[in-house]
Amino acid sequence: MTKKLLLTAILMVSISFGFSQTKEELQAQKAEKQAEADAAQAEANALQAQIDALPGWRVGAFGVIGGSLSNFNNWYSQGVPNNSSGNIGFTVNGFANLIEDKFFWRNSLNTNLSWVKLDNKDTDLDSDDFEPTTDVFNISSLYGRKLSEKFAISGLMEYRTTILNNFNDPGYLDLGVGATWTPIDNLIVVIHPLNYNFVFAENDTVFESSLGAKIVADYTRQIGAVAFKSNLSMFQSYKSGDLSNVTWTNSFSYTLWKMIGVGFDFGLRSNKQEALNFALANFDGDAADAPTFDNVDNELQTYYTLGLTYKF
């Protein structure tokens, strides 16, 4: 019995040692292959950087799709036991950039649209349709003649509006000239001291076009599976600060498989003209107490979308 136990123990130790050796060998082989893969990836990244630096068109698009649907029947623990609800939204960030030795032409599109529905099945007074909520549309075109690798004389056209509700009411068209600075790769800073902000709206007592300065900063970058884009667009009116506005949008995505991943979009906006127009549309008191630029509460406008991402 003692011999059997001894032989069994020796066999177990031998097997364990054999597996240990095999594991160490496999780990060494893996480390060697990983080093080769890292070296090959570094060479591929260097070649891609050379390709990206070549003159010509760069075209691409990515976005976020988010949504949820639910249906309840006789769920008595909630206030509305019979209801169906849903939320659907998507964003698109597209670009088409022509980069040449002496000039560039950068074009971009950003849109964020979403709809929401809450249908109480026990009443016919509410709506069972998807109603638009987030509604953002922005398109811009920047042309520049290079003075150096980092500076250029440029002209910008930027148009912003909503497309699901109140199309072009208001709508903003910026046209201006000035300079563009590219301090680092992927960062574009536009400074146009001569810019006219055309405002299109039915309520011309609130909305007014004016001359001012336009500042735009755009940073787009992809690091491995992570892609992000941040855009700041600011107009400072020379006539009155009440006519100024600023919009900051951000998009992040992480690729999980091929072109599919998860992403997050959010935006911030401040526009006193829009705040006053909204306050007047919802005011039902005496005319003497009506909101004005002096007393309106210009709250920060925000939105966000979380969901699956796609990339072309």
Side-chain angles (χ1 to χ4, degrees):
M1 179 66 69
T2 305
K3 287 183 177 181
K4 289 183 178 180
L5 290 174
L6 181 60
L7 288 174
T8 301
I10 293 173
L11 180 61
M12 295 294 294
V13 171
S14 299
I15 293 173
S16 175
F17 181 72
F19 276 116
S20 176
Q21 275 190 319
T22 302
K23 180 179 179 181
E24 291 176 355
E25 290 174 355
L26 290 174
Q27 288 178 333
Q29 293 176 18
K30 178 186 175 183
E32 182 180 349
K33 296 298 183 183
Q34 186 63 53
E36 294 176 359
D38 292 343
Q41 186 62 53
E43 293 178 3
N45 292 341
L47 290 173
Q48 186 61 51
Q50 294 179 37
I51 293 172
D52 293 340
L54 293 175
W57 283 96
R58 284 89 160 150
V59 179
F62 69 95
V64 176
I65 299 176
S68 65
L69 298 173
S70 64
N71 185 78
F72 290 88
N73 291 306
N74 303 319
W75 200 263
Y76 297 119
S77 62
Q78 60 186 11
V80 182
N82 301 293
N83 75 80
S84 62
S85 63
N87 188 308
I88 301 172
F90 69 91
T91 67
V92 176
N93 293 282
F95 64 90
N97 301 330
L98 176 61
I99 310 298
E100 297 290 347
D101 293 334
K102 295 184 179 180
F103 71 92
F104 58 79
W105 183 25
R106 299 177 177 271
N107 305 277
S108 66
L109 166 70
N110 170 260
T111 183
N112 187 315
L113 307 175
S114 66
W115 298 259
V116 67
K117 179 183 83 165
L118 177 59
D119 177 27
N120 185 349
K121 301 175 184 179
D122 296 327
T123 178
D124 295 329
L125 299 179
D126 65 345
S127 173
D128 58 357
D129 296 328
F130 279 89
E131 303 293 341
T133 52
T134 306
D135 191 356
V136 177
F137 180 83
N138 188 314
I139 187 170
S140 67
S141 183
L142 174 69
Y143 178 84
R145 299 291 299 186
K146 295 181 179 179
L147 301 177
S148 67
E149 285 300 316
K150 296 186 179 295
F151 289 95
I153 300 299
S154 57
L156 173 70
M157 183 282 295
E158 183 183 72
Y159 177 67
R160 304 184 311 281
T161 187
T162 55
I163 57 178
L164 299 179
N165 279 326
N166 305 319
F167 175 71
N168 206 40
D169 183 25
Y172 304 91
L173 175 63
D174 280 294
L175 295 174
V177 294
T180 294
W181 178 40
T182 54
I184 58 175
D185 291 341
N186 307 307
L187 175 61
I188 307 297
V189 180
V190 179
I191 303 174
H192 286 179
L194 186 60
N195 181 93
Y196 201 82
N197 179 237
F198 295 91
V199 184
F200 310 100
E202 292 184 4
N203 189 352
D204 55 8
T205 60
V206 173
F207 293 98
E208 183 179 350
S209 303
S210 64
L211 182 68
K214 183 75 173 182
I215 298 176
V216 177
D218 185 278
Y219 187 71
T220 305
R221 184 77 184 274
Q222 178 156 349
I223 304 175
V226 179
F228 54 92
K229 177 183 177 66
S230 182
N231 181 274
L232 175 68
S233 180
M234 180 187 306
F235 172 72
Q236 179 62 51
S237 174
Y238 293 146
K239 183 175 183 179
S240 171
D242 296 334
L243 307 181
S244 303
N245 61 75
V246 58
T247 302
W248 184 31
T249 58
N250 301 269
S251 299
F252 302 87
S253 69
Y254 180 80
T255 302
L256 298 174
W257 178 74
K258 292 186 177 180
M259 297 300 182
I260 305 300
V262 293
F264 177 65
D265 275 28
F266 74 92
L268 306 174
R269 180 166 174 78
S270 177
N271 189 312
K272 204 168 187 179
Q273 293 177 95
E274 293 177 352
L276 179 58
N277 184 61
F278 180 80
L280 289 172
N282 292 273
F283 179 74
D284 58 0
D286 296 332
D289 299 325
T292 65
F293 277 119
D294 294 330
N295 59 26
V296 69
D297 187 7
N298 183 24
E299 295 184 351
L300 184 67
Q301 305 173 41
T302 65
Y303 73 80
Y304 73 86
T305 303
L306 176 66
L308 296 176
T309 63
Y310 56 92
K311 183 172 62 176
F312 300 100

